[in-house]
Amino acid sequence: MRKAFLVILLLNIALISNAQRSYYVKEHRVRLGFRLDPTVSLLVPQESGVDRNAGRLGISFGVMADFMLDDAGHYAFATGLQITTAGSKLKYDAGKGLDDYKANPAEYNIKATYVEVPLALKLKAETAPGMNLFGQFGTYVGFPVRGRADVVSLTQTYDKVNILRDLQPVNIGLLVGAGVEYPISESLTGLVGLDYRNGFIDVTRNAKWNDGKVNMNSIALKLGLFF
């Protein structure tokens, strides 16, 4: 009897929890959260005369928002606002790069900060009560707000050169991601995933750098909390 009672009790708890979750999703069509993502970014030159020496470790943080597109919460429009640090080390042959340094071969350690807005369709599948696998596909728009470069040209070193005006004022690219959402408490949902970004835009103004097209790609370990 005790075992049967326990089974019935557990079933009732599961049904009530599921009903509460469904009610929450229907009544709360927008979910807000915070994300903090370690990132690796790479500047990818497309022409000869410019080579990448190294990528750059960075961080991305900000708010995220899911706008539900159905009552079950399986489809959402995912967006937000975040600050991302990015960059790379590029080696330029003589005659390429910024005017002040292109007389000789030079290495640029580029460090940039972007304000970004992701725009993606998010698809979720529930694998256990409260736990969801998700995938997302879309784009992002980024605006540089800070740009610095440490330049080494032969025996000369120039630290923290301001290159903000030498960067494109907007960056756009492909955004693909996947991960898992899991319950932490009644009001908190954790998120762990990976985001890959493939930039479409030449991030260094070609008229200033004479370096052809240089794309910005990155991969991020997505860590977040929905409230």
Side-chain angles (χ1 to χ4, degrees):
M1 288 294 293
R2 289 182 178 179
K3 290 183 179 180
F5 177 77
L6 182 59
V7 169
I8 293 171
L9 179 62
L10 291 175
L11 286 173
N12 284 332
I13 292 174
L15 289 172
I16 292 171
S17 298
N18 187 62
Q20 288 177 336
R21 180 176 178 79
S22 298
Y23 175 79
Y24 180 86
V25 170
K26 290 179 181 179
E27 293 299 316
H28 299 78
R29 301 304 296 263
V30 180
R31 295 196 309 164
L32 298 177
F34 180 80
R35 60 185 292 177
L36 179 67
D37 309 341
T39 65
V40 177
S41 59
L42 300 170
L43 288 171
V44 184
Q46 305 294 326
E47 294 189 8
S48 61
V50 187
D51 296 307
R52 184 181 71 247
N53 278 1
R56 181 169 182 79
L57 294 175
I59 197 77
S60 180
F61 62 92
V63 295
M64 52 186 179
D66 281 3
F67 294 85
M68 301 302 173
L69 302 178
D70 69 323
D71 290 340
H74 293 155
Y75 311 103
F77 174 69
T79 185
L81 183 67
Q82 60 203 46
I83 305 296
T84 299
T85 58
S88 207
K89 285 186 179 181
L90 296 180
K91 185 176 181 180
Y92 283 78
D93 290 349
K96 292 184 178 292
L98 298 175
D99 288 341
D100 291 342
Y101 318 105
K102 69 180 183 180
N104 300 299
E107 182 183 77
Y108 294 71
N109 185 7
I110 297 172
K111 311 165 189 177
T113 303
Y114 285 83
V115 174
E116 294 182 333
V117 178
L119 306 164
L121 177 64
K122 186 175 183 179
L123 310 177
K124 296 194 298 181
E126 191 170 32
T127 58
M131 184 170 291
N132 295 281
L133 294 177
F134 71 87
Q136 61 181 25
F137 180 86
T139 186
Y140 64 93
V141 181
F143 308 93
V145 294
R146 187 176 187 272
R148 297 287 187 272
D150 298 331
V151 184
V152 179
S153 177
L154 297 181
T155 59
Q156 296 292 318
T157 300
Y158 308 88
D159 293 329
K160 298 181 180 179
V161 177
N162 189 346
I163 60 168
L164 180 59
R165 293 186 178 181
D166 305 314
L167 300 176
Q168 293 286 5
V170 64
N171 188 30
I172 301 172
L174 172 70
L175 170 62
V176 180
V180 61
E181 295 180 2
Y182 55 93
I184 296 176
S185 68
E186 289 185 1
S187 59
L188 286 179
T189 299
L191 181 151
V192 177
L194 288 174
D195 275 357
Y196 171 71
R197 299 175 180 225
N198 183 26
F200 296 151
I201 304 295
D202 176 16
V203 298
T204 57
R205 292 187 177 185
N206 194 43
K208 297 288 188 71
W209 298 75
N210 186 31
D211 58 358
K213 189 174 183 179
V214 179
N215 302 90
M216 177 87 76
N217 297 343
S218 66
I219 187 168
L221 175 62
K222 190 174 181 179
L223 306 172
L225 280 177
F226 279 110
F227 300 95

